[in-house]
Amino acid sequence: MAQPHLDTEGPIAEAEAEAARSSTTQQPLGPLGAPLDRRSPFLVGLGAALGVAVVVALVGLVTLAAHVLILIGVALFVALGLEPAVSWLARRGLRRGLAVTLVCVGFVVVVGGFLALAVPPLVAQAVGLLEQSPRYLALLQDRSSTLGQLDARFGLQQYLQQALAGDGSTLVDGLLGAGLAVLSGLGDTLVVVVLTVYFLATLPAMRRTAYRLAPASRRPRAVLIGDAICVRFGGYVLGNVVMSVIAGAATFVWLLILGVPFALPLAVLVALLDLVPVVGAVIGGVVTTLVALTVSVPVALATAGFFVAYKLVEDYLLMPKIMGRTVDVPAVLTVVAVLIGGALLGVIGAVVAIPVAAAVLLVVQEIVVPRLDRA
């Protein structure tokens, strides 16, 4: 039985002729067609099924690539923090590439100079700490000393012996694990540095691409809100770094005045911990106060009072002056954000929690609340 012949040449020829007429210089591929009927049962079911599949796939990808996504987020966070400096140089007439190069070179010079100045004293004082360890052990056994009284009450020496006890394999495993952690940390640092430079160089293009995803009618407001979020991120990063440097310098001067040993390592530790909002300065103060306790109880009490006073000055004087209203987050929301960020992503989550909370608060104030008021 002969198969029926389908006449396809006529319709195809008509479509080709229409395509030739619709192709213009401005729109070589022709104008957009009429949108599909979104109320079609088939499209509704297909969209729901695809939505579920996409969500499941995204959850799986985020779970598998969580570490890489964290590195990308940290690099973007640092790039947004350095962006104000790059923009300032670009507004002075420098090309974007040259401005990024100068900022990156300046950052490397500052960090390298800090390490060159800090590492030799850190090593010397660390060696001194090891040399003083027998004296500290003797103080633990001396019941007339402060450390001896703490040992008698809390059993510090027993805890130390239990921590140091163990077979050779445990020690070897610990050393291997520490070595692998150091190598992994160096690799992650290199990845973050490379991504940060790339993000800084391409941030304007990334910005335009992101804003292009917004509908044309809402694109101007998306630009304003997005730029405001970027300003908050950049202001927070730079302000937090400046306040951490001030905290480390003030701690170093105070410890030198009181004659507390290992002033430089403790000051560096306080500066690094001060980068973590809310809890970082508290942890640094507790550690420094415990070391000051080896000098005398009055020195330890004075050091504790110094950290309490400095925390008040930082919160009510330095932060408003340095950050201004760039990151305006209520105190309760700050604590909640830091707790949630720390629980989700550890130290990194606690560091980025405040600018993320500021961005979310801005979106709520500018989009969610006005919509609810009009409803």
Side-chain angles (χ1 to χ4, degrees), residues 238-265:
L238 290 179
N240 201 18
V241 170
V242 170
M243 289 193 299
S244 296
V245 172
I246 295 174
T251 301
F252 180 69
V253 173
W254 176 264
L255 296 181
L256 283 182
I257 293 175
L258 294 186
V260 178
F262 318 113
L264 184 57

Side-chain angles (χ1 to χ4, degrees), residues 17-272:
E18 181 63 28
R21 287 192 300 269
S22 62
S23 179
T24 61
T25 304
Q26 292 78 15
Q27 293 180 324
L29 299 181
L32 295 176
L36 297 175
D37 185 6
R38 297 182 180 181
R39 293 175 294 180
S40 171
F42 174 77
L43 289 181
V44 172
L46 180 62
L50 289 178
V52 173
V54 168
V55 170
V56 173
L58 287 178
V59 171
L61 289 176
V62 169
T63 303
L64 293 176
H67 183 69
V68 177
L69 293 177
I70 290 174
L71 295 181
I72 294 174
V74 171
L76 184 59
F77 181 75
V78 177
L80 290 175
L82 297 177
E83 172 61 20
V86 175
S87 299
W88 184 83
L89 292 176
R91 288 195 298 268
R92 265 67 184 171
L94 293 180
R95 291 183 293 116
R96 176 82 184 182
L98 181 58
V100 171
T101 302
L102 290 178
V103 170
C104 293
V105 170
F107 181 75
V108 171
V109 169
V110 171
V111 174
F114 170 77
L115 293 177
L117 294 175
V119 168
L122 281 173
V123 173
Q125 294 192 10
V127 172
L129 177 61
L130 293 177
E131 293 176 350
Q132 293 294 325
S133 57
R135 186 175 72 87
Y136 292 146
L137 291 176
L139 289 175
L140 283 175
Q141 297 175 355
D142 185 5
R143 293 295 181 264
S144 62
S145 64
T146 303
L147 288 178
Q149 294 174 2
L150 292 175
D151 176 52
R153 177 172 298 182
F154 301 106
L156 300 179
Q157 188 175 3
Q158 181 179 359
Y159 289 143
L160 290 175
Q161 291 175 351
Q162 291 177 356
L164 296 176
D167 54 11
S169 61
T170 303
L171 180 59
V172 171
D173 292 341
L175 292 176
L176 289 177
L180 292 176
V182 171
L183 292 177
S184 177
L186 291 177
D188 292 346
T189 302
L190 180 61
V191 171
V192 170
V193 170
V194 173
L195 287 177
T196 300
V197 175
Y198 177 79
F199 286 152
L200 273 177
T202 60
L203 204 56
M206 294 170 57
R207 170 181 172 273
R208 289 191 297 268
T209 302
Y211 293 151
R212 191 70 184 273
L213 298 177
S217 60
R218 301 180 182 179
R219 197 168 293 159
R221 184 160 171 79
V223 170
L224 294 174
I225 294 177
D227 288 350
I229 291 175
C230 292
V231 168
R232 294 194 176 195
F233 269 85
Y236 174 79
V237 173
L238 290 179
N240 201 18
V241 170
V242 170
M243 289 193 299
S244 296
V245 172
I246 295 174
T251 301
F252 180 69
V253 173
W254 176 264
L255 296 181
L256 283 182
I257 293 175
L258 294 186
V260 178
F262 318 113
L264 184 57
L266 290 174
V268 173
L269 178 64
V270 169
L272 294 177

Side-chain angles (χ1 to χ4, degrees), residues 73 142 181 300 323 360:
D142 185 5
M323 294 188 181
V360 173

